[in-house]
Amino acid sequence: AVSAFGVSPNPSVTKSTLQTTTGIKPAFRKDAAVHSPLFRDPTLVRGGAVPGWQAYNEALDTHPLTAKAFTSLVGWALGDLLAQIFIGGGPFDWKRFITLSMFGFLYHGPSGHYFYNWLDSKIPGKDAKSVAMKVLIDQTCWCPIFMTVFFTYLGLCNGDSFATIGNKIKTDLLAACQGSWKVWPIVHAVNFKFVSNKYRLLFLNAVQVAFNMFLSIIGAGK
């Protein structure tokens, strides 16, 4: 049967031989799938099991800033896409979609790259105290700064005056931070404890798709 796949059977090893020596039928042996000629080389599974995963890892190693910028672009684009389709209703707002996607690319990815590298260099541990300190700094210092930049960016893209942008920040900054404090302390605790620095933004963007839906709705509010 295996010859149909271009694999020549080993005449020296028969079904009865395998069953006699191991006491387990070949199809049910733990290593059967790994060593079967019908499966990929086990050394290639890590890089090839998910299409593009190996290339993405190489990009994180060779061009981390660009890779993380594109990671955030996808995360923000997907978050607003889902928000508009399932929550917003009405015609699709392409300007809003492009604006938020570019915010992920221009600011969220690059700033996250530098901020988390800096934070991990200053507090390198993964013990409870180190994780708690990282979460505290992230949510009390970085979160308000991030939200302020977010609202300023949206205002500038919409052509708003600085007075209007200032009023928007005064009105919505606390609500945005409170929304963050309900979700992100737990997410960041998991992130800082179990996720390596290399994949921090990938993990955050996976979770942030839902949170970006929340931000896109607040950002589009009048």
Side-chain angles (χ1 to χ4, degrees), residues 192-203:
F192 293 133
K193 178 68 176 179
F194 300 107
V195 181
S196 67
N197 176 276
K198 179 178 178 178
Y199 299 111
R200 289 222 192 285
L201 275 175
L202 177 63
F203 174 79

Side-chain angles (χ1 to χ4, degrees), residues 181-196:
W181 296 333
K182 292 177 182 178
V183 177
W184 290 104
I186 295 175
V187 174
H188 280 298
V190 173
N191 190 17
F192 293 133
K193 178 68 176 179
F194 300 107
V195 181
S196 67

Side-chain angles (χ1 to χ4, degrees), residues 16-99:
S16 59
T17 303
L18 285 171
Q19 192 166 351
T20 302
T21 57
T22 65
I24 303 175
K25 293 182 178 181
F28 296 96
R29 291 176 58 194
K30 184 177 180 181
D31 61 344
V34 175
H35 296 290
S36 170
L38 303 183
F39 288 79
R40 67 172 75 243
D41 185 338
T43 62
L44 301 179
V45 171
R46 184 178 180 276
V50 178
W53 180 246
Q54 184 175 2
Y56 179 70
N57 272 278
E58 291 175 355
L60 285 174
D61 291 332
T62 58
H63 301 91
L65 183 62
T66 303
K68 291 173 185 178
F70 277 105
T71 299
S72 291
L73 183 149
V74 173
W76 282 76
L78 186 58
D80 184 64
L81 177 68
L82 295 176
Q84 292 202 50
I85 292 175
F86 296 108
I87 299 176
F92 192 83
D93 188 340
W94 283 101
K95 179 182 177 182
R96 169 180 150 180
F97 175 75
I98 294 172
T99 298

Side-chain angles (χ1 to χ4, degrees), residues 89-129:
F92 192 83
D93 188 340
W94 283 101
K95 179 182 177 182
R96 169 180 150 180
F97 175 75
I98 294 172
T99 298
L100 290 169
S101 300
M102 290 308 297
F103 179 79
F105 179 76
L106 295 173
Y107 183 75
H108 181 264
S111 66
H113 168 73
Y114 288 114
F115 173 70
Y116 292 116
N117 281 352
W118 173 83
L119 191 59
D120 285 332
S121 69
K122 298 301 180 181
I123 311 175
K126 288 181 177 288
D127 56 282
K129 181 180 178 181

Side-chain angles (χ1 to χ4, degrees), residues 140-151:
T140 60
C141 298
W142 183 244
C143 178
I145 294 173
F146 177 86
M147 295 298 182
T148 299
V149 173
F150 175 69
F151 289 126

